[in-house]
Each structure stands twice: as C-alpha cells, then as structure tokens.
Amino acid sequence: MQIGRYKLKNNLIVAPMAGVTDRPFRMLCKRMGAGMAVSEMVASNSLLYGSEKTMRRANHEGEVDPISVQIVGADPKMLAQAARYNVDHGAQIIDINMGCPAKKICNVMAGSALMQNEKLVSEILEAVVGSVDVPVTLKIRTGWDKTNRNAVNIARIAESSGIQALAIHGRTRACAYTGDAEYDTIRAVKAEVHIPVIANGDITTPEKARFVLQHTGADAVMIGRAAQGRPWLFREIEHFLQTGTHQLSPQVGEIQAVLIGHLDELYDFYGEHTGLRVARKHISWYTKGLPGSAVFRHRMNQLESVDEQMGAVTDFFEEQKISSERLLYEGELAA
C-alpha cells in the first residue's frame, strides 16, 4: 500500500474518529498492527490554531511514520492554510474530511455536506493539493443520501485534482452510522479510478476485512469503531489475511499491560484531570463483554483519582485471570 512517497507496512488503516484517534491511541494501534492511523479532525479555522485542543491535536511527538492529519472545513483558502500549518507541525500526509455526518459539521457545509457541491469539492481539493508538498488524501461517503450517490463523480474529481488516495465509508450522509454498509459503490469507484481506494464501514472481524477487500477490489481497509477497546484487531486481521487462520485470543495479562500502558500515556498526554476522564471511555471499551464488566464500568465512572482508576483496572483483570488465561467474553464463557 503506497500513498505518495510513503509505503505502508500493510493495508490496514485506523479511521479518524473525533475524540478517539488522539496520539496515544494512534501510536497504540500502530504498535498492534495498523499500517497507518489518521488523526481526529483538526479545524481549518486559523483562530483556533492557538487553542489547547488544536495544539494537542498537532502534537505528533514520538509517533511512527507516516503521520496523517485530517483537516475539516468548507473554505478552500482556509483549508489550504490549515494544511500548511499542520505540515509545519509534523504532518506527512494531509487528509481532507468530506465524510463526517455530524450535524454541527454539516450545518456549516463541511464534512459530508460538501458532497452536495461538486464544484466546491474541486476548488477545495485543488487548493489543498497545491498548497503543500506532501501527499493529500480524501475521505468521503457514498453520497449525500440514497438518491444522491455521487461517490464515483467525487472520486474522478479527486483523482484529477491530485489526491493520492481515497477512503470511502460505505454509507450516505443521511444514513449516518445506521443500517448496513454497502460496498457496491466502493467497488464502482475502484473500477473508475487509478489511485488507491480504501474501504471503510462495518469491518469488525478478520473475515469481514477479507470479504470487503475481495468484494470491492479496494487496496486497503479502514477500521474505526471496531478498534475501540480492541486495538489488537489489526494484528488479528493481518494474521488472517496472510494465513487464513485465526490467532488465539490474547492473554489476559497482555491486555492488562496494554490497557495500563494506554492509561499512562493518556494521563501524560492530557494531564491527570482530563486524562482520567478521557480514560473512562477507553476502559469501558476494553472491558465490554467481559464477565462482571457492567458493574465494573458503572463503578469506574465514579472514581475521581488516577490511583483509584489504575487500581480498579488492575483488580478487574486479576479477577479475569482466575476464569481464564486468555480473554473470554460472556458469550464464549456460556459456550
């Protein structure tokens, strides 16, 4: 998988997710098998460049190459400026968001709302590509709604504008994250363009990754929600694609160490006060479906110190080890 001058170690990519794909999560997913991880979206409004949130999102210290940063906005000049700002702060690939379905993004005609205006799409892509000397990629959906699937048109515009790779979420903006992802549009796009195409949406298992790659002909898959609390999914998929066999479920002790390391990085990155709160959702994702996790997660949200949080996580996983050496979810326990 090649994006401009960067050759990825495989074709498994972490999807950009607001509030999730911060530097600690990106670095963790790369360590656990992902070939690339795209940052959570960075606003193109220059008034926000000095904000703590934007500065944190532009922090790539220690991150493994290539560093891909997603920008969002609707004004070609502002997006070009944002691209230059992020390249100056370490971005090696710039990704443009035309896939986010959130109302607060679409209401300002950014994200997937841009797919309604193909002329503006062309202006934005040409402005950003022309503003930086690094590869520029684009993320879109299949269309605005089910009667307006224009991903093929957008893909043609992207290729002619110099976009180096195109990620497509297999839903329209109107579908948001409901219903099943449809992959036929992704296949149609792949047949029309010569740049790498990355398939995204509902890729939750190694088998599904193989199916989507085969069905669409895509060059890579992009995984988002399924990796929340399960960053080892990338190595499981890579193993399955290479061998056709499944890895054993990870050992409880390994995932305990992974989570504790992740928490340490969150506390360091955000500071203890904010890190404690950010950590809660990750702990919830890691433990969902494990025996006794419902009670544990409820109690976790009431803990107000880093020491308490770390202690509770350690105790929870020590209890898991009593039942099984390897991670065993409640459905598997019953079986």
PDB file of all heavy atoms in Angstrom, residues 36-66:
ATOM      1  N   MET A  36      -1.254   2.457   9.239  1.00  0.00           N
ATOM      2  CA  MET A  36      -1.352   3.916   9.343  1.00  0.00           C
ATOM      3  C   MET A  36      -2.535   4.256  10.226  1.00  0.00           C
ATOM      4  O   MET A  36      -3.490   3.483  10.324  1.00  0.00           O
ATOM      5  CB  MET A  36      -1.531   4.552   7.942  1.00  0.00           C
ATOM      6  CG  MET A  36      -1.475   6.075   7.945  1.00  0.00           C
ATOM      7  SD  MET A  36      -1.467   6.793   6.262  1.00  0.00           S
ATOM      8  CE  MET A  36      -3.219   6.692   5.848  1.00  0.00           C
ATOM      9  N   ALA A  37      -2.466   5.399  10.872  1.00  0.00           N
ATOM     10  CA  ALA A  37      -3.577   5.877  11.700  1.00  0.00           C
ATOM     11  C   ALA A  37      -3.793   7.356  11.390  1.00  0.00           C
ATOM     12  O   ALA A  37      -2.840   8.137  11.408  1.00  0.00           O
ATOM     13  CB  ALA A  37      -3.275   5.685  13.185  1.00  0.00           C
ATOM     14  N   VAL A  38      -5.026   7.727  11.084  1.00  0.00           N
ATOM     15  CA  VAL A  38      -5.348   9.112  10.723  1.00  0.00           C
ATOM     16  C   VAL A  38      -5.843   9.836  11.973  1.00  0.00           C
ATOM     17  O   VAL A  38      -6.656   9.313  12.735  1.00  0.00           O
ATOM     18  CB  VAL A  38      -6.422   9.167   9.615  1.00  0.00           C
ATOM     19  CG1 VAL A  38      -6.648  10.613   9.164  1.00  0.00           C
ATOM     20  CG2 VAL A  38      -6.002   8.300   8.425  1.00  0.00           C
ATOM     21  N   SER A  39      -5.361  11.060  12.159  1.00  0.00           N
ATOM     22  CA  SER A  39      -5.712  11.824  13.362  1.00  0.00           C
ATOM     23  C   SER A  39      -7.184  12.195  13.388  1.00  0.00           C
ATOM     24  O   SER A  39      -7.867  12.233  12.352  1.00  0.00           O
ATOM     25  CB  SER A  39      -4.886  13.114  13.417  1.00  0.00           C
ATOM     26  OG  SER A  39      -5.437  14.083  12.522  1.00  0.00           O
ATOM     27  N   GLU A  40      -7.680  12.501  14.584  1.00  0.00           N
ATOM     28  CA  GLU A  40      -9.001  13.115  14.676  1.00  0.00           C
ATOM     29  C   GLU A  40      -8.956  14.460  13.960  1.00  0.00           C
ATOM     30  O   GLU A  40      -7.902  15.079  13.826  1.00  0.00           O
ATOM     31  CB  GLU A  40      -9.423  13.273  16.137  1.00  0.00           C
ATOM     32  CG  GLU A  40      -8.413  13.982  17.021  1.00  0.00           C
ATOM     33  CD  GLU A  40      -8.792  13.937  18.491  1.00  0.00           C
ATOM     34  OE1 GLU A  40      -9.988  13.861  18.807  1.00  0.00           O
ATOM     35  OE2 GLU A  40      -7.886  13.982  19.328  1.00  0.00           O
ATOM     36  N   MET A  41     -10.117  14.917  13.472  1.00  0.00           N
ATOM     37  CA  MET A  41     -10.120  16.082  12.587  1.00  0.00           C
ATOM     38  C   MET A  41      -9.694  17.358  13.303  1.00  0.00           C
ATOM     39  O   MET A  41     -10.030  17.595  14.460  1.00  0.00           O
ATOM     40  CB  MET A  41     -11.488  16.257  11.942  1.00  0.00           C
ATOM     41  CG  MET A  41     -12.647  16.379  12.888  1.00  0.00           C
ATOM     42  SD  MET A  41     -14.209  16.296  11.993  1.00  0.00           S
ATOM     43  CE  MET A  41     -15.377  16.350  13.360  1.00  0.00           C
ATOM     44  N   VAL A  42      -8.925  18.161  12.573  1.00  0.00           N
ATOM     45  CA  VAL A  42      -8.427  19.444  13.062  1.00  0.00           C
ATOM     46  C   VAL A  42      -9.147  20.547  12.302  1.00  0.00           C
ATOM     47  O   VAL A  42      -9.198  20.532  11.070  1.00  0.00           O
ATOM     48  CB  VAL A  42      -6.903  19.569  12.848  1.00  0.00           C
ATOM     49  CG1 VAL A  42      -6.402  20.925  13.328  1.00  0.00           C
ATOM     50  CG2 VAL A  42      -6.167  18.440  13.563  1.00  0.00           C
ATOM     51  N   ALA A  43      -9.726  21.501  13.029  1.00  0.00           N
ATOM     52  CA  ALA A  43     -10.475  22.586  12.389  1.00  0.00           C
ATOM     53  C   ALA A  43      -9.555  23.432  11.517  1.00  0.00           C
ATOM     54  O   ALA A  43      -8.375  23.633  11.826  1.00  0.00           O
ATOM     55  CB  ALA A  43     -11.133  23.464  13.444  1.00  0.00           C
ATOM     56  N   SER A  44     -10.113  23.939  10.400  1.00  0.00           N
ATOM     57  CA  SER A  44      -9.313  24.766   9.489  1.00  0.00           C
ATOM     58  C   SER A  44      -9.317  26.240   9.885  1.00  0.00           C
ATOM     59  O   SER A  44      -8.609  27.045   9.301  1.00  0.00           O
ATOM     60  CB  SER A  44      -9.838  24.623   8.057  1.00  0.00           C
ATOM     61  OG  SER A  44     -11.191  25.037   7.979  1.00  0.00           O
ATOM     62  N   ASN A  45     -10.130  26.598  10.874  1.00  0.00           N
ATOM     63  CA  ASN A  45     -10.228  27.990  11.308  1.00  0.00           C
ATOM     64  C   ASN A  45      -8.939  28.417  12.014  1.00  0.00           C
ATOM     65  O   ASN A  45      -8.592  27.911  13.075  1.00  0.00           O
ATOM     66  CB  ASN A  45     -11.427  28.144  12.255  1.00  0.00           C
ATOM     67  CG  ASN A  45     -11.701  29.591  12.627  1.00  0.00           C
ATOM     68  OD1 ASN A  45     -10.844  30.460  12.459  1.00  0.00           O
ATOM     69  ND2 ASN A  45     -12.888  29.846  13.129  1.00  0.00           N
ATOM     70  N   SER A  46      -8.227  29.366  11.435  1.00  0.00           N
ATOM     71  CA  SER A  46      -6.932  29.779  11.988  1.00  0.00           C
ATOM     72  C   SER A  46      -7.063  30.402  13.370  1.00  0.00           C
ATOM     73  O   SER A  46      -6.089  30.446  14.133  1.00  0.00           O
ATOM     74  CB  SER A  46      -6.245  30.772  11.044  1.00  0.00           C
ATOM     75  OG  SER A  46      -7.036  31.940  10.876  1.00  0.00           O
ATOM     76  N   LEU A  47      -8.268  30.856  13.726  1.00  0.00           N
ATOM     77  CA  LEU A  47      -8.472  31.432  15.061  1.00  0.00           C
ATOM     78  C   LEU A  47      -8.303  30.379  16.151  1.00  0.00           C
ATOM     79  O   LEU A  47      -8.087  30.713  17.312  1.00  0.00           O
ATOM     80  CB  LEU A  47      -9.874  32.058  15.163  1.00  0.00           C
ATOM     81  CG  LEU A  47     -10.159  33.245  14.238  1.00  0.00           C
ATOM     82  CD1 LEU A  47     -11.618  33.681  14.370  1.00  0.00           C
ATOM     83  CD2 LEU A  47      -9.230  34.410  14.557  1.00  0.00           C
ATOM     84  N   LEU A  48      -8.393  29.108  15.740  1.00  0.00           N
ATOM     85  CA  LEU A  48      -8.302  28.023  16.720  1.00  0.00           C
ATOM     86  C   LEU A  48      -6.898  27.451  16.834  1.00  0.00           C
ATOM     87  O   LEU A  48      -6.646  26.569  17.649  1.00  0.00           O
ATOM     88  CB  LEU A  48      -9.281  26.898  16.342  1.00  0.00           C
ATOM     89  CG  LEU A  48     -10.761  27.281  16.272  1.00  0.00           C
ATOM     90  CD1 LEU A  48     -11.596  26.105  15.767  1.00  0.00           C
ATOM     91  CD2 LEU A  48     -11.265  27.738  17.629  1.00  0.00           C
ATOM     92  N   TYR A  49      -5.950  27.932  16.009  1.00  0.00           N
ATOM     93  CA  TYR A  49      -4.621  27.333  15.996  1.00  0.00           C
ATOM     94  C   TYR A  49      -3.946  27.384  17.367  1.00  0.00           C
ATOM     95  O   TYR A  49      -3.187  26.485  17.716  1.00  0.00           O
ATOM     96  CB  TYR A  49      -3.712  28.043  14.981  1.00  0.00           C
ATOM     97  CG  TYR A  49      -4.056  27.752  13.531  1.00  0.00           C
ATOM     98  CD1 TYR A  49      -3.376  28.393  12.508  1.00  0.00           C
ATOM     99  CD2 TYR A  49      -5.059  26.847  13.184  1.00  0.00           C
ATOM    100  CE1 TYR A  49      -3.676  28.143  11.167  1.00  0.00           C
ATOM    101  CE2 TYR A  49      -5.365  26.603  11.862  1.00  0.00           C
ATOM    102  CZ  TYR A  49      -4.678  27.245  10.855  1.00  0.00           C
ATOM    103  OH  TYR A  49      -4.977  27.009   9.543  1.00  0.00           O
ATOM    104  N   GLY A  50      -4.218  28.431  18.118  1.00  0.00           N
ATOM    105  CA  GLY A  50      -3.572  28.566  19.418  1.00  0.00           C
ATOM    106  C   GLY A  50      -4.310  27.877  20.542  1.00  0.00           C
ATOM    107  O   GLY A  50      -3.840  27.886  21.678  1.00  0.00           O
ATOM    108  N   SER A  51      -5.467  27.277  20.250  1.00  0.00           N
ATOM    109  CA  SER A  51      -6.246  26.647  21.313  1.00  0.00           C
ATOM    110  C   SER A  51      -5.545  25.385  21.805  1.00  0.00           C
ATOM    111  O   SER A  51      -4.793  24.731  21.069  1.00  0.00           O
ATOM    112  CB  SER A  51      -7.646  26.278  20.813  1.00  0.00           C
ATOM    113  OG  SER A  51      -7.590  25.164  19.942  1.00  0.00           O
ATOM    114  N   GLU A  52      -5.800  25.062  23.058  1.00  0.00           N
ATOM    115  CA  GLU A  52      -5.160  23.886  23.653  1.00  0.00           C
ATOM    116  C   GLU A  52      -5.511  22.625  22.873  1.00  0.00           C
ATOM    117  O   GLU A  52      -4.658  21.777  22.616  1.00  0.00           O
ATOM    118  CB  GLU A  52      -5.605  23.751  25.112  1.00  0.00           C
ATOM    119  CG  GLU A  52      -4.913  22.616  25.851  1.00  0.00           C
ATOM    120  CD  GLU A  52      -5.367  22.508  27.312  1.00  0.00           C
ATOM    121  OE1 GLU A  52      -6.165  23.365  27.743  1.00  0.00           O
ATOM    122  OE2 GLU A  52      -4.926  21.570  27.985  1.00  0.00           O
ATOM    123  N   LYS A  53      -6.788  22.510  22.456  1.00  0.00           N
ATOM    124  CA  LYS A  53      -7.231  21.319  21.727  1.00  0.00           C
ATOM    125  C   LYS A  53      -6.494  21.173  20.396  1.00  0.00           C
ATOM    126  O   LYS A  53      -5.988  20.102  20.058  1.00  0.00           O
ATOM    127  CB  LYS A  53      -8.739  21.382  21.478  1.00  0.00           C
ATOM    128  CG  LYS A  53      -9.283  20.156  20.744  1.00  0.00           C
ATOM    129  CD  LYS A  53     -10.747  20.300  20.404  1.00  0.00           C
ATOM    130  CE  LYS A  53     -11.625  20.153  21.630  1.00  0.00           C
ATOM    131  NZ  LYS A  53     -13.072  20.127  21.270  1.00  0.00           N
ATOM    132  N   THR A  54      -6.405  22.268  19.625  1.00  0.00           N
ATOM    133  CA  THR A  54      -5.742  22.206  18.325  1.00  0.00           C
ATOM    134  C   THR A  54      -4.256  21.926  18.482  1.00  0.00           C
ATOM    135  O   THR A  54      -3.664  21.134  17.734  1.00  0.00           O
ATOM    136  CB  THR A  54      -5.973  23.507  17.537  1.00  0.00           C
ATOM    137  OG1 THR A  54      -7.386  23.658  17.320  1.00  0.00           O
ATOM    138  CG2 THR A  54      -5.269  23.475  16.195  1.00  0.00           C
ATOM    139  N   MET A  55      -3.633  22.561  19.463  1.00  0.00           N
ATOM    140  CA  MET A  55      -2.201  22.334  19.680  1.00  0.00           C
ATOM    141  C   MET A  55      -1.938  20.882  20.092  1.00  0.00           C
ATOM    142  O   MET A  55      -0.948  20.277  19.675  1.00  0.00           O
ATOM    143  CB  MET A  55      -1.674  23.309  20.726  1.00  0.00           C
ATOM    144  CG  MET A  55      -1.637  24.751  20.239  1.00  0.00           C
ATOM    145  SD  MET A  55      -1.155  25.939  21.515  1.00  0.00           S
ATOM    146  CE  MET A  55       0.582  25.548  21.694  1.00  0.00           C
ATOM    147  N   ARG A  56      -2.844  20.326  20.887  1.00  0.00           N
ATOM    148  CA  ARG A  56      -2.688  18.929  21.293  1.00  0.00           C
ATOM    149  C   ARG A  56      -2.840  18.008  20.082  1.00  0.00           C
ATOM    150  O   ARG A  56      -2.114  17.028  19.921  1.00  0.00           O
ATOM    151  CB  ARG A  56      -3.723  18.580  22.363  1.00  0.00           C
ATOM    152  CG  ARG A  56      -3.475  17.231  23.036  1.00  0.00           C
ATOM    153  CD  ARG A  56      -4.575  16.878  23.995  1.00  0.00           C
ATOM    154  NE  ARG A  56      -4.606  17.756  25.144  1.00  0.00           N
ATOM    155  CZ  ARG A  56      -5.679  18.410  25.571  1.00  0.00           C
ATOM    156  NH1 ARG A  56      -6.824  18.283  24.925  1.00  0.00           N
ATOM    157  NH2 ARG A  56      -5.640  19.180  26.619  1.00  0.00           N
ATOM    158  N   ARG A  57      -3.793  18.343  19.209  1.00  0.00           N
ATOM    159  CA  ARG A  57      -4.016  17.501  18.035  1.00  0.00           C
ATOM    160  C   ARG A  57      -2.873  17.609  17.031  1.00  0.00           C
ATOM    161  O   ARG A  57      -2.719  16.743  16.171  1.00  0.00           O
ATOM    162  CB  ARG A  57      -5.357  17.859  17.375  1.00  0.00           C
ATOM    163  CG  ARG A  57      -6.549  17.420  18.209  1.00  0.00           C
ATOM    164  CD  ARG A  57      -7.875  17.748  17.572  1.00  0.00           C
ATOM    165  NE  ARG A  57      -8.973  17.247  18.397  1.00  0.00           N
ATOM    166  CZ  ARG A  57     -10.264  17.371  18.108  1.00  0.00           C
ATOM    167  NH1 ARG A  57     -10.623  17.995  17.002  1.00  0.00           N
ATOM    168  NH2 ARG A  57     -11.186  16.885  18.911  1.00  0.00           N
ATOM    169  N   ALA A  58      -2.104  18.669  17.128  1.00  0.00           N
ATOM    170  CA  ALA A  58      -0.945  18.837  16.238  1.00  0.00           C
ATOM    171  C   ALA A  58       0.335  18.298  16.877  1.00  0.00           C
ATOM    172  O   ALA A  58       1.419  18.504  16.342  1.00  0.00           O
ATOM    173  CB  ALA A  58      -0.778  20.321  15.889  1.00  0.00           C
ATOM    174  N   ASN A  59       0.207  17.599  17.991  1.00  0.00           N
ATOM    175  CA  ASN A  59       1.362  17.052  18.698  1.00  0.00           C
ATOM    176  C   ASN A  59       1.589  15.608  18.229  1.00  0.00           C
ATOM    177  O   ASN A  59       0.781  14.718  18.514  1.00  0.00           O
ATOM    178  CB  ASN A  59       1.099  17.092  20.215  1.00  0.00           C
ATOM    179  CG  ASN A  59       2.276  16.585  21.024  1.00  0.00           C
ATOM    180  OD1 ASN A  59       3.101  15.821  20.544  1.00  0.00           O
ATOM    181  ND2 ASN A  59       2.357  17.004  22.278  1.00  0.00           N
ATOM    182  N   HIS A  60       2.692  15.384  17.517  1.00  0.00           N
ATOM    183  CA  HIS A  60       2.992  14.056  16.966  1.00  0.00           C
ATOM    184  C   HIS A  60       4.298  13.491  17.529  1.00  0.00           C
ATOM    185  O   HIS A  60       4.903  12.602  16.933  1.00  0.00           O
ATOM    186  CB  HIS A  60       3.058  14.138  15.435  1.00  0.00           C
ATOM    187  CG  HIS A  60       1.878  14.816  14.828  1.00  0.00           C
ATOM    188  ND1 HIS A  60       0.632  14.238  14.805  1.00  0.00           N
ATOM    189  CD2 HIS A  60       1.739  16.041  14.261  1.00  0.00           C
ATOM    190  CE1 HIS A  60      -0.224  15.084  14.232  1.00  0.00           C
ATOM    191  NE2 HIS A  60       0.431  16.176  13.900  1.00  0.00           N
ATOM    192  N   GLU A  61       4.700  14.005  18.678  1.00  0.00           N
ATOM    193  CA  GLU A  61       5.984  13.610  19.270  1.00  0.00           C
ATOM    194  C   GLU A  61       6.059  12.101  19.484  1.00  0.00           C
ATOM    195  O   GLU A  61       5.195  11.500  20.122  1.00  0.00           O
ATOM    196  CB  GLU A  61       6.141  14.336  20.612  1.00  0.00           C
ATOM    197  CG  GLU A  61       7.500  14.188  21.245  1.00  0.00           C
ATOM    198  CD  GLU A  61       7.586  14.964  22.554  1.00  0.00           C
ATOM    199  OE1 GLU A  61       6.888  15.980  22.698  1.00  0.00           O
ATOM    200  OE2 GLU A  61       8.351  14.526  23.423  1.00  0.00           O
ATOM    201  N   GLY A  62       7.080  11.490  18.905  1.00  0.00           N
ATOM    202  CA  GLY A  62       7.296  10.058  19.086  1.00  0.00           C
ATOM    203  C   GLY A  62       6.450   9.171  18.202  1.00  0.00           C
ATOM    204  O   GLY A  62       6.553   7.937  18.282  1.00  0.00           O
ATOM    205  N   GLU A  63       5.615   9.749  17.345  1.00  0.00           N
ATOM    206  CA  GLU A  63       4.701   8.941  16.527  1.00  0.00           C
ATOM    207  C   GLU A  63       5.441   8.337  15.334  1.00  0.00           C
ATOM    208  O   GLU A  63       6.264   8.980  14.691  1.00  0.00           O
ATOM    209  CB  GLU A  63       3.539   9.810  16.045  1.00  0.00           C
ATOM    210  CG  GLU A  63       2.402   9.019  15.439  1.00  0.00           C
ATOM    211  CD  GLU A  63       1.157   9.865  15.182  1.00  0.00           C
ATOM    212  OE1 GLU A  63       1.088  11.006  15.679  1.00  0.00           O
ATOM    213  OE2 GLU A  63       0.265   9.374  14.478  1.00  0.00           O
ATOM    214  N   VAL A  64       5.112   7.088  15.034  1.00  0.00           N
ATOM    215  CA  VAL A  64       5.736   6.374  13.925  1.00  0.00           C
ATOM    216  C   VAL A  64       5.201   6.901  12.593  1.00  0.00           C
ATOM    217  O   VAL A  64       4.021   7.173  12.447  1.00  0.00           O
ATOM    218  CB  VAL A  64       5.446   4.855  14.049  1.00  0.00           C
ATOM    219  CG1 VAL A  64       6.000   4.089  12.860  1.00  0.00           C
ATOM    220  CG2 VAL A  64       6.017   4.315  15.352  1.00  0.00           C
ATOM    221  N   ASP A  65       6.101   7.048  11.616  1.00  0.00           N
ATOM    222  CA  ASP A  65       5.695   7.471  10.272  1.00  0.00           C
ATOM    223  C   ASP A  65       4.793   6.416   9.616  1.00  0.00           C
ATOM    224  O   ASP A  65       4.912   5.234   9.929  1.00  0.00           O
ATOM    225  CB  ASP A  65       6.929   7.645   9.386  1.00  0.00           C
ATOM    226  CG  ASP A  65       7.845   8.764   9.860  1.00  0.00           C
ATOM    227  OD1 ASP A  65       7.445   9.508  10.777  1.00  0.00           O
ATOM    228  OD2 ASP A  65       8.954   8.880   9.323  1.00  0.00           O
ATOM    229  N   PRO A  66       3.941   6.830   8.664  1.00  0.00           N
ATOM    230  CA  PRO A  66       3.681   8.220   8.287  1.00  0.00           C
ATOM    231  C   PRO A  66       2.628   8.855   9.200  1.00  0.00           C
ATOM    232  O   PRO A  66       1.727   8.171   9.687  1.00  0.00           O
ATOM    233  CB  PRO A  66       3.148   8.082   6.855  1.00  0.00           C
ATOM    234  CG  PRO A  66       2.470   6.752   6.831  1.00  0.00           C
ATOM    235  CD  PRO A  66       3.234   5.862   7.776  1.00  0.00           C
TER     236      PRO A  66
END
